[in-house]
Amino acid sequence: MILTVTLNAALDITYRVPRLQPHSTNRVTEVSERPGGKGLNVARVLTALGHRAVATGFAGGGTGDALRSLLAQETSVTDALVPVGGATRRTVAVVDESTGDTTQLNEPGPVVTPAEWDAFMSTYRELLSGARAVALCGSLPPGVPVDVYARLTRAARTAGVPVLLDTSGEPLRRGLAARPDLAKPNADELAALTGSTEPLRAARDARRRGAHTVAASLGADGMLVVTADGAWQAAPPRRIAGNPTGAGDSAVAGLLSGLVEDLPWPARLARAVALSAATVRAPAAGEFDRDTYEELLGRVTVTEHPVAA
């Protein structure tokens, strides 16, 4: 199985309005709720690709109960979330149907106590014993030390389980020092980490900071990967219109599934980019349009970069 970790899971609430008008009353035409958080989105896509996925992290309060109930109803993802006393956060997205723009409001998440963290670590180590790979994803809830991804990476490496790290800011910087097998920042996160806005240079810099491989999401321009053996860039054959929310999570699922299937890097990249683009056509994060995915998969362009001197 593939293990995904979402320490700051969320109940995603989406409101759709005909036109968002600040400082006024807005009539909502549609409301949807679904389990959210990067690792949960990754797990959903993995199951759609035919892999068994187990999701762990924290869930608490009435919001956490609602999240777990919805997770049980809508997917085949195995729920291994650890209970906490605080309430799982909500993320509220307001979609302006006249423009397609989305306004996002993200709560901080529950305060995690030392005892709750110890319970999670016990669960995590137990789950690692049956994992073929693990993805560490997203932001951290209050009360969790900023170096936790470094700790989780070291625990996975001790267990012999490959690690993919997908976070940002200081947790990313600390996590890289623990030498994850793969780090997956987007272009902005990579630039913030390294100070370079040139993706290839920045990805090589991030590798020097500890990651064995760096895969950088470049939005509509696809994905760049830098490994010890070379660098490749993949791009979709055309730009796909739609909602990009969750596209990076689908790319993570593509990379993880390619890892456990031992695909060569060009094939992993092609899958990740096709899944990412197909997610833009889907109604929600954690889903992808299968027809778009199958159409794009064989048409993704993969280019090899010269080896750095």
Side-chain angles (χ1 to χ4, degrees), residues 32-204:
S32 64
E33 292 184 344
R34 60 186 287 118
K38 295 176 72 63
L40 291 176
N41 294 335
V42 171
R44 283 197 202 93
V45 176
L46 285 169
T47 61
L49 293 172
H51 290 273
R52 179 171 173 250
V54 175
T56 190
F58 297 111
T63 311
D65 291 342
L67 182 153
R68 301 183 83 164
S69 176
L70 290 169
L71 187 64
Q73 294 172 28
E74 70 176 42
T75 75
S76 57
V77 175
T78 299
D79 177 356
L81 295 167
V82 175
V84 291
T88 294
R89 67 185 178 131
R90 296 164 294 182
T91 65
V92 179
V94 182
V95 180
D96 185 330
E97 294 180 325
S98 68
T99 64
D101 291 340
T102 299
T103 299
Q104 192 88 12
L105 302 173
N106 292 345
E107 295 179 356
V111 175
V112 176
T113 67
E116 290 166 345
W117 175 253
D118 288 344
F120 167 79
M121 284 301 299
S122 177
T123 297
Y124 177 68
R125 290 192 177 98
E126 182 178 345
L127 290 169
L128 284 175
S129 65
R132 299 178 66 192
V134 58
L136 308 176
C137 302
S139 63
L140 303 179
V144 173
V146 73
D147 68 342
V148 295
Y149 282 138
R151 300 184 195 182
L152 298 180
T153 296
R154 286 192 288 268
R157 290 179 59 80
T158 298
V161 179
V163 181
L164 184 153
L165 177 62
D166 182 14
T167 187
S168 60
E170 189 64 12
L172 173 61
R173 189 182 71 81
R174 300 279 190 101
L176 287 179
R179 301 187 60 78
D181 296 85
L182 175 61
K184 207 286 305 167
N186 62 33
D188 290 340
E189 292 162 351
L190 195 58
L193 173 73
T194 66
S196 175
T197 57
E198 200 288 303
L200 183 58
R201 178 180 300 171
R204 285 173 171 156

Side-chain angles (χ1 to χ4, degrees), residues 198-204 214-216 218 221-235 265-266 269 301-309:
E198 200 288 303
L200 183 58
R201 178 180 300 171
R204 285 173 171 156
V214 174
L218 306 178
D221 293 325
M223 178 171 281
L224 167 73
V225 65
V226 177
T227 77
D229 300 317
W232 295 265
Q233 186 165 343
W265 269 111
L269 270 181
T301 301
V302 181
T303 304
E304 186 170 7
H305 286 278
V307 178

